[in-house]
Amino acid sequence: MTVDIDWKNLGFSYMNLPYRWRAYYKDGEWYKQGLETDNQLHISEGSPALHYGQQAFEGMKAYRTKEGKVQLFRPDQNAKRFQVSAERMMMPKVPVEDFVHAVKEAVKANIDYVPPYESGATLYIRPLLIGVGDNIGVHPATEYIFTVFVMPVGPYFKGGLAPQHFVTSEYDRAAPMGTGGVKVGGNYASSLQPGASAHDEDYADVIYLDPKTHTKIEEIGSSNFYGIERGTHKFVTPKSPSILPSITKFSLLHLAEERLGLEVEQGDCYIDDLDRFEEAGAMGTAAIITPIGSITHKGHRHNFGTGQEVGEITEKLYHELLGIQFGDIEAPEGWIVPVEAD
């Protein structure tokens, strides 16, 4: 089937594709699993997902290779993180193999919408688990819906591999012992206001500091942070229990060490010590790798270099990661899962 889409000018927005994969949970077991065509979820007004935020989600992508094949990037890692989120929200875990199967089936059913190689676009995948059913008390749901839907998207930050500018926020993304380390909607709901304020001031996004002391970088609104240490070229990324453990981050830690021969560190990144880094970037499924041109903190703008160029190591990591995801560079064992069309 030929799909009439301007692949090179896609935004990062919702699109209603023909199929999504769903499973339903009740009385302690999953049932009624398979593809559906209705993009509406029909749930009780008493659903805990609506009142108490009992839900979790993931973000992934499918990539089309030069040969026209379609592949996933480390879906088992998303599945494991999804289980951690579900456990924290007191929801039933989706088995890893069932999660990967659901993702593959949703992609396969909509395979004509996987953007062409070299279009700059990908197929974004959104697994979602919500607590539903008749409920009003503050306790876990007795019924759940697991759904996986997909859509073609362009870059999250426009301009390709181009430096973006960020600003710190006085708001906290998550509490010190809260839900910052899991991928749940409440973390993002609280980021809407500071994110909108940053966009109004022409920043790409917000950088959140640690909620205890407001002295250390923790996370960017839509991604994780890294810095390349001046002189040593060490790849440094913050470590904290309230940071979402990004699959992209752990992949880049591996690639920086094993492919580029860099020393790597998960540790403190103090906002008042940005001179430590000669390069910095945002990393995540949506952001991929986005160079950070500057960070503004308390009215002072700190540029990395001139603030306008892409650092050498950032560029190498970007091309290594994308080369693996699109099948141009050999991946570490187990990182790539093919999606075979029927």
Side-chain angles (χ1 to χ4, degrees):
M1 182 178 76
T2 301
V3 177
D4 185 19
I5 292 177
D6 184 0
W7 301 111
K8 293 190 175 183
N9 290 298
L10 278 172
F12 201 92
S13 57
Y14 176 80
M15 188 181 298
N16 180 13
L17 267 56
Y19 299 101
R20 62 276 307 137
W21 196 97
R22 290 196 182 132
Y24 300 82
Y25 183 96
K26 189 176 182 180
D27 297 329
E29 61 181 8
W30 293 100
Y31 70 100
K32 194 184 170 186
Q33 305 179 37
L35 293 169
E36 297 185 10
T37 58
D38 188 358
N39 74 327
Q40 303 295 311
L41 288 170
H42 302 274
I43 63 175
S44 167
E45 62 187 356
S47 295
L50 302 177
H51 300 268
Y52 308 121
Q54 194 192 20
Q55 61 90 252
F57 69 99
E58 275 297 318
M60 313 166 58
K61 288 180 177 178
Y63 307 83
R64 194 176 293 278
T65 69
K66 186 184 297 183
E67 295 76 27
K69 297 179 180 179
V70 175
Q71 58 188 35
L72 305 173
F73 179 73
R74 308 193 74 181
D76 60 316
Q77 298 303 303
N78 290 94
K80 292 173 183 177
R81 187 172 70 177
F82 198 56
Q83 288 188 328
V84 173
S85 298
E87 184 175 34
R88 178 65 176 83
M89 294 291 106
M90 296 190 71
M91 298 189 292
K93 294 180 182 179
V94 178
V96 170
E97 59 274 19
D98 291 350
F99 178 99
V100 175
H101 173 75
V103 168
K104 291 172 74 172
E105 289 300 303
V107 173
K108 189 187 303 183
N110 297 285
I111 204 157
D112 293 322
Y113 292 87
V114 181
Y117 177 77
E118 287 193 329
S119 65
T122 52
L123 189 76
Y124 186 75
I125 305 164
R126 172 52 56 83
L128 173 69
L129 178 62
I130 61 172
V132 299
D134 297 327
N135 179 81
I136 200 62
V138 184
H139 53 73
T142 57
E143 301 177 41
Y144 297 88
I145 297 175
F146 170 51
T147 183
V148 181
F149 59 98
V150 302
M151 70 216 69
V153 297
Y156 190 81
F157 295 118
K158 291 296 184 182
L161 189 64
Q164 302 289 329
H165 304 283
F166 297 81
V167 63
T168 60
S169 176
E170 295 180 353
Y171 289 96
D172 293 326
R173 176 183 164 271
M177 295 298 291
T179 59
V182 294
K183 199 168 179 68
V184 296
N187 296 340
Y188 296 83
S190 64
S191 75
L192 294 177
Q193 184 179 0
S197 297
H199 296 153
D200 288 344
E201 296 177 11
D202 293 326
Y203 293 105
D205 208 343
V206 165
I207 288 182
Y208 293 98
L209 305 180
D210 71 290
K212 281 188 177 180
T213 70
H214 279 214
T215 62
K216 296 176 284 188
I217 293 174
E218 282 224 327
E219 192 167 333
I220 301 168
S222 58
S223 48
N224 281 192
F225 171 87
Y226 74 86
I228 304 300
E229 191 171 66
R230 193 179 305 278
T232 67
H233 299 326
K234 183 192 296 182
F235 182 96
V236 184
T237 185
K239 184 176 184 179
S240 164
S242 58
I243 294 176
L244 181 72
S246 163
I247 283 88
T248 303
K249 176 181 77 174
F250 288 114
S251 300
L252 288 174
L253 281 165
H254 177 89
L255 295 175
E257 187 171 29
E258 299 299 327
R259 297 281 175 95
L260 272 63
L262 303 178
E263 186 179 352
V264 300
E265 176 187 316
Q266 294 185 71
D268 293 334
C269 298
Y270 288 95
I271 190 63
D272 290 333
D273 192 24
L274 293 178
D275 280 335
R276 175 188 178 189
F277 302 116
E278 59 186 359
E279 302 177 30
M283 51 186 172
T285 298
I288 312 172
I289 298 178
T290 299
I292 296 178
S294 71
I295 295 175
T296 297
H297 177 59
K298 294 184 177 180
H300 173 73
R301 173 168 166 156
H302 177 92
N303 289 326
F304 296 93
T306 65
Q308 303 300 323
E309 76 270 0
V310 179
E312 180 182 355
I313 292 173
T314 291
E315 187 165 11
K316 286 181 179 178
L317 285 169
Y318 176 85
H319 290 299
E320 188 75 19
L321 178 64
L322 258 68
I324 290 170
Q325 291 173 334
F326 283 100
D328 297 324
I329 295 175
E330 185 177 356
E333 185 177 356
W335 281 24
I336 296 299
V337 174
V339 177
E340 304 290 348
D342 291 331

